[in-house]
Amino acid sequence: MKDISLATVNYGVIGCGMMGQEHLRNIALLPNARVAAIYEPSEAMAGAARGLAPGAGQVSSVEDLLAQPDLDALLVASPNHLHLSQLERIAELRPLPILMEKPLYTAPEDAARVARIAASYPAPIWVAMEYRYMPPVATFLQQVEAATGGVKMLTIREHRFPFLPKVGDWNRFNRNTGGTLVEKCCHFFDLMRLILKSDPVRIMASAGQEVNHLDERYGEEVPDIWDSAYVIVDFANGARAMLELCMYAEGSRYQEELSAVGPAGKIEALVPGPTRFWPGPASEAPVPQIIVSPRTPKAPRIVEIPVDPTLLDAGDHNGATYYQHVRFLDAVRNGARCEVSLQDGAWAVRMGLAAQLAAQRGQAMHFDSC
């Protein structure tokens, strides 16, 4: 058996669309790691993947990829509605360590299937919650307890661009994505649980499709994905969190803003959007910031958290994809702790689905009943 603590780790990649290609660019930056095999059914996306990982073999099915003898780990970055069936196939045929793109599943009835895999899978499954690893968010996570004295109120705001075009327009329809509050916002629900160190007990939401995609037609269908929402979550430890999402606010200077407040003070993180969407000179692009505002003395402190330009060029997540891979490889090579578990990924989806239901019904949803 190969000693992967020293040797190059060979990835097998399932799905090389927009996010998959970001993973390929970041794997190329990792020492002693390479993409050995790719399964991507779209010829256009496969062609782009060949340019990013020219040494990788291309196969025609998930089964063919799993039959490649030299694989050490898998990356799954296919469309949302394919994740769970592909995960089940991997568990059946070759349960290698997996970096699994979010969301884990897209419908409430799928939760039991995830639980069955979690109970028996013999290798790490790391759910790709990249937002944890953005340098300003990582700094926020490190400092939040000291800055606040224990978080009582948490607000996450994302003001960003609309959903981008994807292969086959799969992301225009809730049946494929799980809905916007799953597809887009599972990151934020994951951060809420991580920051507050507690599980939700009640969720309320108001959301809808107000501006985006209303004039689009795919066959006879009109997209049904939402573009805006307010979500309020009560947690078991008494803390409260709020999400504000707007996907027609691409003119914003910062894309994500996190604010946590406790008896000792407040901490904020300001995170710019993808650098490729910045309209002006790169030298004028906003730099991520952390702002710590103690109650006493009243003297806010602002610290810039610059991100390595090489990592900015490799993807749209402020370097997070690279840092996530570094940690995932530590789990693969050395048995380090899997920082984002299947349970974490499942909770993020469960919260998103409950928020969608709360908005649709116009009533709070309790987690002992949804």
Side-chain angles (χ1 to χ4, degrees):
M1 181 180 295
K2 181 171 73 172
D3 181 359
I4 57 175
S5 66
L6 301 173
T8 295
V9 170
N10 291 313
Y11 279 83
V13 177
I14 299 171
C16 289
M18 188 175 298
M19 192 63 212
Q21 290 171 37
E22 177 168 326
H23 282 289
L24 296 183
R25 288 191 294 271
N26 281 276
I27 292 170
L29 299 175
L30 297 164
N32 299 319
R34 63 183 285 268
V35 177
I38 289 170
Y39 167 55
E40 170 49 66
S42 163
E43 182 50 43
M45 296 300 103
R50 282 192 288 272
L52 294 170
Q58 300 225 0
V59 300
S60 58
S61 69
V62 170
E63 291 76 12
D64 288 345
L65 183 132
L66 295 175
Q68 303 303 303
D70 58 345
L71 300 185
D72 304 305
L74 301 171
L75 164 70
V76 178
S78 52
N80 296 4
H81 59 291
L82 302 177
H83 288 176
L84 184 51
S85 60
Q86 291 174 343
L87 180 57
E88 288 174 327
R89 195 66 172 141
I90 294 165
E92 176 188 358
L93 295 178
R94 195 172 176 193
L96 291 166
I98 305 174
L99 181 60
M100 187 83 195
E101 263 300 336
K102 59 79 191 168
L104 272 177
Y105 63 97
T106 57
E109 58 269 22
D110 294 338
R113 295 164 63 188
V114 173
R116 284 195 291 272
I117 293 170
S120 60
Y121 201 87
I125 302 177
W126 185 303
V127 183
M129 293 295 184
E130 286 88 6
Y131 282 53
R132 292 187 180 203
Y133 302 101
M134 292 178 173
V137 176
T139 302
F140 180 97
L141 294 171
Q142 291 165 3
Q143 298 184 13
V144 66
E145 284 298 311
T148 64
V151 182
K152 299 299 182 183
M153 299 180 69
L154 172 66
T155 301
I156 300 176
R157 179 166 75 175
E158 182 171 69
H159 282 193
R160 57 160 280 167
F161 50 92
F163 283 115
L164 298 171
K166 297 290 181 75
V167 174
D169 307 303
W170 66 266
N171 67 338
R172 286 335 197 224
F173 299 99
N174 290 328
R175 63 177 179 268
N176 298 327
T177 67
T180 298
L181 299 184
V182 172
E183 151 55 40
K184 184 76 229 42
C185 300
C186 62
H187 283 298
F188 307 126
F189 297 131
D190 174 65
L191 286 174
M192 287 178 184
R193 288 184 64 248
L194 181 66
I195 292 165
L196 298 177
K197 300 181 177 64
S198 184
D199 290 332
V201 294
R202 184 174 68 152
I203 196 160
M204 297 157 277
S206 177
Q209 183 182 10
E210 309 299 338
V211 175
N212 296 340
H213 317 300
L214 295 172
D215 58 350
E216 298 176 9
R217 300 292 183 275
Y218 301 94
E220 299 299 317
E221 293 187 279
V222 179
D224 60 0
I225 49 171
W226 296 347
D227 57 19
S228 50
Y230 289 106
V231 181
I232 298 174
V233 190
D234 292 335
F235 282 80
N237 66 358
R240 295 181 179 89
M242 185 180 80
L243 168 67
E244 177 187 331
L245 173 72
C246 180
M247 298 187 69
Y248 43 91
E250 58 266 46
S252 303
R253 182 167 181 82
Y254 290 100
Q255 181 167 291
E256 287 87 27
E257 300 179 23
L258 284 68
S259 171
V261 188
K266 178 171 74 171
I267 183 171
E268 300 164 90
L270 307 180
V271 186
T275 53
R276 65 189 174 107
F277 294 152
W278 179 250
S283 60
E284 297 178 6
V287 177
Q289 293 183 351
I290 291 290
I291 305 170
V292 177
S293 304
R295 296 179 72 186
T296 305
K298 297 177 182 177
R301 184 178 77 255
I302 301 174
V303 178
E304 291 190 338
I305 311 291
V307 180
D308 185 333
T310 300
L311 301 185
L312 292 177
D313 289 342
D316 291 341
H317 295 85
N318 282 272
T321 302
Y322 175 82
Y323 293 118
Q324 178 179 247
H325 273 283
V326 169
R327 287 165 171 79
F328 171 67
L329 285 178
D330 193 23
V332 174
R333 287 190 172 113
N334 305 313
R337 181 178 68 88
C338 184
E339 295 179 13
V340 193
S341 68
L342 273 180
Q343 182 183 37
D344 293 325
W347 258 117
V349 173
R350 188 180 177 195
M351 291 175 71
L353 290 171
Q356 298 241 148
L357 195 58
Q360 290 165 350
R361 294 183 177 179
Q363 66 185 52
M365 302 302 298
H366 295 262
F367 281 91
D368 57 0
S369 61
C370 66

